[in-house]
Structure formats: C-alpha cells, structure tokens
Amino acid sequence: MSNQEPQERTDAVEELDELMTDESPEPGMGYTIEYDDDTDGADAGADDTDTADAEPEATAEPSADGAGTDDEEAAAAANTAAAALDEPDEEDSADDVDDSVFRAYPMFSMRGVTVADPKTGEHIWNDLTMRCEAGTSYGVLVDAHNTRQHDTLVALMAGFAHPTEGSVMTKSTPLHDLTPLELRGHRIGVLLQQFALRGDLSATANLEYAMDASNRNYLKPIAVLAQELLTRVGFAPSGDDNATQAERSRALVRTLGAVDRARVMVARAIATDSDIVLADEPTATLDEADAATILDLLRAQVHGESKQRTVIVVTTDPHVAGAMDETIDLTH
C-alpha cells in the first residue's frame, strides 16, 4: 500500500474520514481508513514491491478493470456510507412519527384523575391513570365492596361526571370539551345496568330512537339499519324468515329475556358507529352460558365495519374482566 497521501478525495470521503479518526468525540468510533493512490500500472507495481513485506490493515480484491479502480470503489463506498449517515430513511422517519402520535393519543385515556367528595373532600379516586387502545377490549376490575368508586368510575368514563383534577380523554380531546350529543351520540356507546333501554319500545324502536337522536347522516334508512344491527348481534338470526324477524323485532323490550335484552343493548351501543363501547356489568343478570355469549359479542365489537373500536367492560368479577383481551386491575 502506498505511503503517499491520495491526490484527490471527494468532500463526502473527507467528512467520513474525519468522523472515523481517533479524535472522534463519539465513543467507539476509533477507526482509520487507508486509501491507495495507484494512478498507473507501473507505480502500482513499484509500490507493491516496496511494501511487499508490510502487512496491510485491510485488503480488497483487485478489480478486473485495472489500476486506479480501488480508489473509485473506496470513494463510492464511503459516499454511500456518508449518505446513509446524513440522510435517514424518510419512510422510516414517517413511520416513527405516526407511531409516536398513535402512542401519545390512545382511543381512551385517564391521566392523573382525582375525584373528591364535594361534601367531605375525601378522595374517591386519586391520581388514576390508564390508557385503552383502538382494536382492543379491556376488562376494568373494581372493588366489589366500594360501590361509590364503581359508580364514579363509570360516570367519569361516560362523561356524566368530570374529575376534580386530571383529564379523561378520547384521542386528544378531553371529554368535558365535547357536547353530550357529540360524546354519547358519536364517540361513546354506553351499556348501563339500568336505563340502557326503553322497556316501552320494541327492540327496533330502541335502535331507531338512538340513531335519530344522534343527528348523524346514514347511507341507508334507519329502519333497515336497525334490523341489520339486530341480525348482527344475533337477536334476529339471519336464518329466520322475514315474518319471524319482524315479529321478534316488534316485541317490547320489557317482555324480552335477559340475554335478548343484552343483545339489544350491544346493538344500541354500536348503532351510532361509536369509537368506544363502555359496558357496566353487562353480565350481571345472566347465567354462565349466556354471560359467555355476551362477552364474546362485546369483544367482537372491536372490529367495526369501517374502524377499530375500543371496548371497555367495568366489572367486579375477575372472570368477566379476564374474558377481555387485557385486564386493568384497580382493586389494589
């Protein structure tokens, strides 16, 4: 290898050489690069003879193109390395930004939520934090002996109440910034233990009532969509003939069995194409087999026709919480 300095180097090669010298401030970057300046075949042969006894630090196979190509290949490789160092992959950078935004704004979150009793000042919840992502179902386990905590949590999650400190958010928007119509007519579908359905209306009428009150625009007539939703949740199975489906759909909700009422509650919660389905003890009145059916139905709602939803089940039953994709234990 020649002891002479190369006559020409590209700017990129010089910059890379400076970065990789022993004086580099970066730890672990103490590398050196040697360059051949074989400008003609005769000089190359003479240099090889003079330095035959010296062992080079690194060698490369000669090119078939002849003398001088080693410099060109080294420069090209250095240019490529320098470009890779100076210019990160735009696609990877965009993916990193998208991922960070997604992680920063989950579908539903509670951040440092504290709720105090307005009369005594006692903390019902203190510094409560959780996050729930789209496309996932969550079982939120609460203390069976603290009904005040249970009821307060559901009220906070549904936007019926607001925290003393902290924030309850859907994506990047606090719930208290949304009107009740926007919140419960578009963002959150709620299944409560009581008052979730109107017993004086039929199954179909309950869904039509919710859709009409939301002020949303629908691509199909509301009556048609209501029947489709009931079929989807298994209330009016697709195998039934039209007359049987119509008869079942016209039955007043107060005359239905517990599992059928639960199916209608699920259908009503997704009737407005909500982003979040919030269920409070949805299996409290069901036997084991029917409870499993409804939990499977709720978990399936994370996959909407046009979106990924978040499903949250608040319960005091560890088995119910464990039936969801993930469990958030608030009993400690």
Side-chain angles (χ1 to χ4, degrees):
M1 183 177 292
S2 174
N3 294 325
Q4 297 179 353
E5 289 295 325
Q7 296 178 356
E8 294 184 0
R9 295 183 184 180
T10 63
D11 291 341
V13 175
E14 291 177 344
E15 292 175 3
L16 184 61
D17 195 22
E18 292 174 0
L19 285 173
M20 301 180 72
T21 60
D22 290 332
E23 290 76 20
S24 172
E26 294 293 335
M29 291 289 287
Y31 300 96
T32 58
I33 301 176
E34 291 190 7
Y35 302 91
D36 289 335
D37 66 340
D38 300 335
T39 55
D40 56 57
D43 289 341
D47 288 339
D48 289 341
T49 302
D50 293 340
T51 60
D53 295 333
E55 184 176 351
E57 292 187 14
T59 60
E61 291 297 325
S63 169
D65 293 335
T69 55
D70 288 346
D71 285 349
E72 296 172 358
E73 291 176 358
N79 275 324
T80 302
L85 288 172
D86 295 337
E87 298 181 4
D89 190 337
E90 293 182 1
E91 182 176 353
D92 290 344
S93 298
D95 290 342
D96 289 343
V97 170
D98 290 342
D99 289 344
S100 65
V101 170
F102 181 76
R103 289 193 298 269
Y105 298 116
M107 185 66 80
F108 178 85
S109 64
M110 304 181 80
R111 303 178 183 178
V113 168
T114 296
V115 182
D117 187 300
K119 295 182 179 179
T120 66
E122 178 189 0
H123 284 178
I124 302 172
W125 288 104
N126 185 44
D127 196 23
L128 176 60
T129 296
M130 70 172 73
R131 58 185 293 137
C132 302
E133 308 289 353
T136 306
S137 62
Y138 297 84
V140 179
L141 187 63
V142 294
D143 188 348
H145 301 98
N146 195 330
T147 56
R148 183 170 65 164
Q149 273 195 344
H150 185 159
D151 295 342
T152 301
L153 179 64
V154 173
L156 289 169
M157 293 177 126
F160 296 125
H162 302 299
T164 307
E165 298 178 10
S167 59
V168 184
M169 305 180 70
T170 173
K171 299 180 181 177
S172 60
T173 305
L175 297 194
H176 62 70
D177 286 351
L178 299 170
T179 66
L181 177 61
E182 171 65 18
L183 182 59
R184 287 179 290 277
H186 295 245
R187 303 293 186 93
I188 302 179
V190 182
L191 289 77
L192 300 176
Q193 295 183 60
Q194 297 178 338
F195 314 118
L197 298 171
R198 288 188 54 176
D200 61 328
L201 297 179
S202 68
T204 302
N206 264 277
L207 270 60
E208 292 175 353
Y209 178 84
M211 288 188 283
D212 187 58
S214 72
N215 286 338
R216 295 181 72 105
N217 294 320
Y218 296 93
L219 298 178
K220 297 181 182 179
I222 287 179
V224 173
L225 287 174
Q227 190 61 55
E228 290 179 354
L229 284 167
L230 291 174
T231 300
R232 188 183 309 168
V233 299
F235 176 79
S238 57
D240 290 348
D241 57 38
N242 292 336
T244 303
Q245 286 187 347
E247 182 178 354
R248 284 176 56 78
S249 301
R250 286 196 299 268
L252 297 182
V253 164
R254 62 171 176 249
T255 66
L256 300 176
V259 69
D260 279 338
R261 286 198 301 272
R263 291 183 187 276
V264 177
M265 287 168 62
V266 174
R268 177 167 169 166
I270 63 174
T272 58
D273 198 24
S274 54
D275 296 328
I276 302 164
V277 174
L278 172 64
D280 178 25
E281 297 287 13
T283 63
T285 60
L286 304 177
D287 60 30
E288 185 176 349
D290 288 341
T293 297
I294 296 304
L295 291 175
D296 287 343
L297 182 60
L298 280 169
R299 193 168 55 247
Q301 302 315 310
V302 299
H303 303 294
E305 289 187 338
S306 60
K307 66 174 66 175
Q308 295 288 300
R309 295 192 182 95
T310 299
V311 174
I312 305 172
V313 175
V314 181
T315 180
T316 59
D317 188 338
H319 297 291
V320 172
M324 298 295 104
D325 297 326
E326 296 187 19
T327 300
I328 300 174
D329 191 342
L330 300 182
T331 60
H332 302 301

